[in-house]
Amino acid sequence: MQENRISRWYFGGVSSSMAACLTHPLDLIKVHLQTQQEVRVRMIGMAVNVVRREGYLALYSGLSASLCRQMTYSLSRFAIYETVRDEMNRKNKGLVPFYQKVLLGAFGGFTGGFIGTPADLVNVRMQNDVKLPVHLRRNYAHALDGLLRVWNEEGMRKLFSGASMASTRGALVSVGQLSCYDQSKQLVLAAGYLTDNILTHFLASVFAGGCATILCQPLDVVKTRLMNSKLEYRGVLHCLTETARLGPKAFYKRSVSSLTQSSPSCSWNN
């Protein structure tokens, strides 16, 4: 008799937070690479530079903000996607078609991206602090301190700087992660070669991570630049133009580290 596994939406937020503890150094290096005005060093070189300047613990700068982001952005999109999908499955008495999964993933990701923007902004700033001269650092003590200081010093509107990019990116990455994960797992199981086990979930996650990286990478670069800016960009279009001047490869900085972070932390489904 096949075991009936029931998904819980909060598993996604909790597992995303656990994953962030492992992948945070990669995320930090990604931010450093994306905020370079010119391609000076690659991923390994950037990691070596950070360790030499600040020590190994610097690779975990901004971890509190990263966890705060996961418990707002990831928790929201998983809650929307998994709750609505399971309800639709019950009403349809079967699995929903792929196009509905795409629409649902886009909506959940867009909403989660907007909700998580303030924490994401503080996360980017805290990670980027370690590469700045001491007198230019913001020196947020932790995520809450960063949120309060941005509110008091720059206004509530600044907390949502880059929200349009973060929301659009959230929609695309959720389509890549959640919708493609569900569909690829469904296809693997339908082929009959594998059962609903850890290998099936791993293969579906790898495929979904690749899809998410390809879809959201350019927007991720622009979002990071906007959040880390000190008014050097007039808006999204200006940031896009300035980034494009560096060449097409500027939109795909840190693709390798992105791929390792993009596999979805999906719960076990029915």
Side-chain angles (χ1 to χ4, degrees):
M1 183 174 179
Q2 185 177 2
E3 182 182 357
N4 187 35
R5 298 186 177 96
I6 301 176
S7 61
R8 295 287 183 261
W9 57 265
Y10 49 82
F11 288 174
V14 174
S15 58
S16 294
S17 298
M18 295 173 63
C21 294
L22 298 176
T23 64
H24 188 77
L26 290 173
D27 193 37
L28 181 137
I29 298 305
K30 172 261 298 187
V31 169
H32 286 207
L33 291 173
Q34 290 179 343
T35 53
Q36 289 184 111
Q37 292 304 313
E38 297 177 3
V39 181
R40 299 187 181 92
V41 293
R42 304 293 180 180
M43 185 175 70
I44 296 177
M46 184 65 76
V48 171
N49 287 344
V50 171
V51 172
R52 282 178 177 173
R53 287 197 312 266
E54 303 291 334
Y56 288 102
L57 290 179
L59 293 173
Y60 280 90
S61 297
L63 179 59
S64 62
S66 182
L67 294 175
C68 182
R69 175 179 178 268
Q70 295 299 339
M71 294 305 291
T72 50
Y73 159 65
S74 290
L75 197 66
S76 299
R77 67 192 181 107
F78 273 106
I80 294 171
Y81 182 84
E82 301 229 349
T83 302
V84 177
R85 182 206 59 195
D86 290 349
E87 183 63 27
M88 292 172 66
N89 286 341
R90 279 192 290 271
K91 286 185 176 180
N92 296 338
K93 296 181 179 179
L95 300 175
V96 298
F98 181 56
Y99 80 91
Q100 291 184 5
K101 295 176 184 176
V102 170
L103 293 174
L104 181 56
F107 175 73
F110 189 90
T111 305
F114 182 81
I115 293 172
T117 297
D120 200 4
L121 180 141
V122 173
N123 182 38
V124 167
R125 291 184 171 190
M126 291 181 72
Q127 290 177 345
N128 198 59
D129 245 14
V130 297
K131 81 170 188 180
L132 297 175
V134 175
H135 66 283
L136 293 178
R137 294 181 181 180
R138 296 179 173 96
N139 292 320
Y140 299 147
H142 44 73
L144 182 59
D145 177 56
L147 291 169
L148 292 175
R149 283 182 53 188
V150 174
W151 179 298
N152 293 329
E153 297 169 9
E154 304 175 58
M156 184 182 71
R157 186 175 180 180
K158 187 63 179 179
L159 281 172
F160 289 90
S161 176
S164 58
M165 284 292 100
S167 298
T168 307
R169 176 194 178 276
L172 291 176
V173 78
S174 293
V175 169
Q177 286 186 340
L178 307 185
S179 305
C180 290
Y181 172 88
D182 266 355
Q183 191 66 20
S184 58
K185 190 183 73 172
Q186 180 181 330
L187 292 174
V188 170
L189 292 175
Y193 295 108
L194 294 173
T195 59
D196 191 0
N197 54 30
I198 191 66
L199 179 58
T200 301
H201 288 260
F202 176 77
L203 293 175
S205 294
V206 171
F207 176 76
C211 292
T213 299
I214 294 171
L215 286 172
C216 74
Q217 182 70 12
L219 289 177
D220 195 26
V221 172
V222 175
K223 177 206 68 148
T224 300
R225 286 176 174 267
L226 283 171
M227 289 181 170
N228 190 58
S229 70
K230 293 185 177 180
L231 303 179
E232 60 260 40
Y233 300 120
R234 295 189 296 273
V236 174
L237 184 60
H238 183 219
C239 184
L240 276 168
T241 303
E242 292 298 308
T243 305
R245 288 180 179 176
L246 302 176
K249 289 184 179 180
F251 289 105
Y252 281 90
K253 289 181 178 179
R254 69 87 181 172
S255 302
V256 175
S257 60
S258 227
L259 182 59
T260 61
Q261 292 176 276
S262 293
S263 295
S265 303
C266 290
S267 51
W268 291 67
N269 302 322
N270 288 0

